[in-house]
């Protein structure tokens, strides 16, 4: 049986704590199925800046390119907040996305029935929410040219970023989103700002054209401000959402609240040969180093890795089910803790899920 090479880039903050839990689950799968995973760790983010001076050394980029999939933690933190843009930890992640051509970022947000009351939103609003944000990840405002800053002699300054897309970039992420919608409830909301932005008019035009190849999918165009409101007003309206890079960054954080906690949200970044899998939550400097972070987003990201990069959907299903069972048994990390449940730390939650995965084989 062939060996799957998995690059493990834990990064900073709670990335260092949750990633080993995800890795532990993959090891359980390997043991139970005979699959062979070879893990290799690489430096990225602030950890890489401290060790090498830059947010992503050549060796990490090479490791990523030569692997079959990447298990990613999180990057960033107050320690590096004053660094110039090119030397911020976040650059490491952006470089990986661009280098590996990971243009489609899948961020599922589901309201887990047993966590309904963990969401600050009312039960009547969030109950039944099950949506997928497909965020364009290698273009738009994050990468558009021109970009830069000009300092004036009088002390003033001018800074520019550009939201730019080619029709090809829009078309490929639109196709990815229609493909996702086809496997779900066949509804797609394309989110833009076409009442103001020229780039959004092109977005709308291209998505509408691609829709002709997917007659079974019901497409609607939603303005981004309206979508932001609808997500907390009637989240059950949505099935699949496709949108520009920055819009998707913002809307996916908002969607996280529907799932009860950021600690529950996994993601997959796809497009090129190598997929990257990361929890949506970031480094959470306020709780880093305390062993209390929720590892579920990282563990569900490992499940997505099995599903999308290694073609092991059955194993992914077992992990998803194991997470549900452990939650049903009443175990909670602090972010989703409620009266009457059992509070556990990061490693303990990982162990509980590992045990359930093991039992499922
Ligand atoms: C995310 C994060 C990143 C982004 C940061 C860390 C660069 O917020 O993955 O949503 O803005 O894309
Ligand atoms: Mg974000």
């Amino acid at each position: 049986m062939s060996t799957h090479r998995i690059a493990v880039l834990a990064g900073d903050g709670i990335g260092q704590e949750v990633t080993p839990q995800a890795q532990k689950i993959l090891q359980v799968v390997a043991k139970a199925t005979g699959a062979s995973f070879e893990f290799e760790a690489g430096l990225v983010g602030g950890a890489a800046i401290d060790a090498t001076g830059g947010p992503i050394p050549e060796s990490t980029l090479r490791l990523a390119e030569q692997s079959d999939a990447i298990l990613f933690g999180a990057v960033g933190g107050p320690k590096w907040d004053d660094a110039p843009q090119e030397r911020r930890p976040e650059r490491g992640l952006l470089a990986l996305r661009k280098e590996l051509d990971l243009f489609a970022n899948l961020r599922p947000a589901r309201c887990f029935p047993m966590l309904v009351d963990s969401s600050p939103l009312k039960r009547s609003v969030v109950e039944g929410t099950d949506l997928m944000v497909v965020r364009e990840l290698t273009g738009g405002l994050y990468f558009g040219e021109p970009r830069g800053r000009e300092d004036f002699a009088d002390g003033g300054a001018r800074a520019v970023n550009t939201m730019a897309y080619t029709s090809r970039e829009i078309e490929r992420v639109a196709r990815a989103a229609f493909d996702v919608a086809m496997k779900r409830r066949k509804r797609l909301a394309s989110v833009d700002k076409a009442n103001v932005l020229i780039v959004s008019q092109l977005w709308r035009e291209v998505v509408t054209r691609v829709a002709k190849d997917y007659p079974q999918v019901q497409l609607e165009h939603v303005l981004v401000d309206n979508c932001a409101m609808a997500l907390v007003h009637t989240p059950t309206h949505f099935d699949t959402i496709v949108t520009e890079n920055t819009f998707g960054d913002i809307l996916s954080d908002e969607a996280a609240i529907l799932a009860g906690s950021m600690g529950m949200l996994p993601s997959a970044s796809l497009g090129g040969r190598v997929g990257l899998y990361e929890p949506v939550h970031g480094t959470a400097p306020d709780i880093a180093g305390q062993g209390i972070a929720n590892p579920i987003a990282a563990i569900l990201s490992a499940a997505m890795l099995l599903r999308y990069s290694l073609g092991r959907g059955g194993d992914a299903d077992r992990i998803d089910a194991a997470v549900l069972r452990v939650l049903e048994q009443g175990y909670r990390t602090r972010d989703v803790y409620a009266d009457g449940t059992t509070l556990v730390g990061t490693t303990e939650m990982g162990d509980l899920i590992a045990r359930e995965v093991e039992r499922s084989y």
Side-chain angles (χ1 to χ4, degrees):
M1 186 177 283
S2 69
T3 297
H4 302 294
R5 296 190 64 193
I6 300 174
V8 182
L9 312 182
D12 310 315
I14 63 168
Q16 292 283 345
E17 299 166 53
V18 297
T19 312
Q21 303 308 315
Q23 197 176 335
K24 179 161 73 192
I25 302 298
L26 291 176
Q27 269 150 351
V28 170
V29 171
K31 200 166 152 227
T33 63
S36 163
F37 301 140
E38 191 181 294
F39 297 101
E40 195 168 336
L43 284 171
V44 70
I49 293 176
D50 289 352
T52 69
I56 183 147
E58 258 313 301
S59 56
T60 301
L61 277 176
R62 262 200 313 278
L63 167 68
E65 276 160 9
Q66 289 164 6
S67 63
D68 295 310
I70 302 165
L71 192 60
F72 194 93
V75 287
K79 186 172 171 196
W80 308 279
D81 268 354
D82 298 326
Q85 282 295 339
E86 339 64 78
R87 273 191 292 115
R88 287 181 65 100
E90 289 83 352
R91 277 284 134 198
L93 176 56
L94 297 176
L96 268 175
R97 290 172 178 170
K98 196 73 179 171
E99 286 291 314
L100 300 174
D101 207 15
L102 303 173
F103 60 83
N105 182 212
L106 274 47
R107 300 187 159 187
R110 238 179 95 194
C111 172
F112 290 89
M114 60 296 266
L115 296 183
V116 178
D117 296 314
S118 299
S119 174
L121 298 172
K122 282 189 207 136
R123 170 183 282 268
S124 60
V125 172
V126 291
E127 200 160 40
T129 298
D130 180 1
L131 59 88
M132 174 81 91
V133 178
V134 180
R135 168 188 176 194
E136 200 293 325
L137 205 58
T138 52
L141 194 52
Y142 272 51
F143 292 96
E145 300 282 350
R147 53 196 286 127
R149 171 180 168 141
E150 196 186 345
D151 287 290
F152 303 139
D154 68 0
R158 181 169 182 274
V160 185
N161 285 97
T162 305
M163 190 186 283
Y165 273 111
T166 62
S167 47
R168 180 182 160 272
E169 287 173 314
I170 300 168
E171 179 169 344
R172 63 183 189 173
V173 74
R175 288 197 186 280
F178 276 106
D179 288 339
V180 167
M182 282 295 288
K183 293 195 195 123
R184 295 176 49 93
R185 299 191 302 278
K186 298 190 174 49
R187 283 183 12 235
L188 179 65
S190 172
V191 176
D192 62 40
K193 189 67 187 172
N195 54 345
V196 177
L197 304 177
I198 302 170
V199 59
S200 285
Q201 284 165 350
L202 178 64
W203 179 281
R204 209 172 258 218
E205 192 183 304
V206 175
V207 172
T208 305
R209 177 156 26 91
V210 172
K212 298 208 172 73
D213 294 338
Y214 296 86
Q216 308 93 324
V217 176
Q218 190 191 329
L219 170 69
E220 63 171 338
H221 299 281
V222 185
L223 294 171
V224 63
D225 48 348
N226 189 245
C227 179
M229 183 184 64
L231 269 178
V232 284
H233 184 270
T234 3
T236 49
H237 169 79
F238 295 102
D239 175 39
T240 307
I241 291 175
V242 63
T243 193
E244 189 269 344
N245 202 341
T246 312
F247 296 162
D249 179 45
I250 298 167
L251 294 177
S252 60
D253 266 28
E254 192 189 2
I257 293 301
L258 307 167
S261 161
M262 287 279 277
M264 300 295 298
L265 253 73
S267 83
S269 301
L270 310 173
R273 191 190 65 81
V274 185
L276 181 148
Y277 301 84
E278 62 175 317
V280 173
H281 52 57
T283 56
D286 53 323
I287 59 160
Q290 299 175 37
I292 60 173
N294 187 347
I296 292 181
I299 290 170
L300 294 176
S301 299
M304 291 184 93
L305 182 156
L306 291 168
R307 193 183 302 284
Y308 293 107
S309 279
L310 306 187
R312 305 190 68 104
D315 299 314
D317 288 343
R318 287 172 199 267
I319 297 175
D320 291 348
V323 167
L324 279 180
R325 264 197 305 281
V326 169
L327 291 171
E328 264 157 23
Q329 289 157 11
Y331 295 104
R332 301 281 189 278
T333 43
R334 209 186 60 173
D335 54 318
V336 284
Y337 178 77
D339 283 347
T341 62
T342 312
L343 184 65
V344 294
T346 309
T347 308
E348 207 178 343
M349 181 56 96
D351 288 342
L352 287 160
I353 296 169
R355 190 182 62 187
E356 285 301 330
V357 173
E358 209 172 337
R359 275 191 191 153
S360 76
Y361 285 96

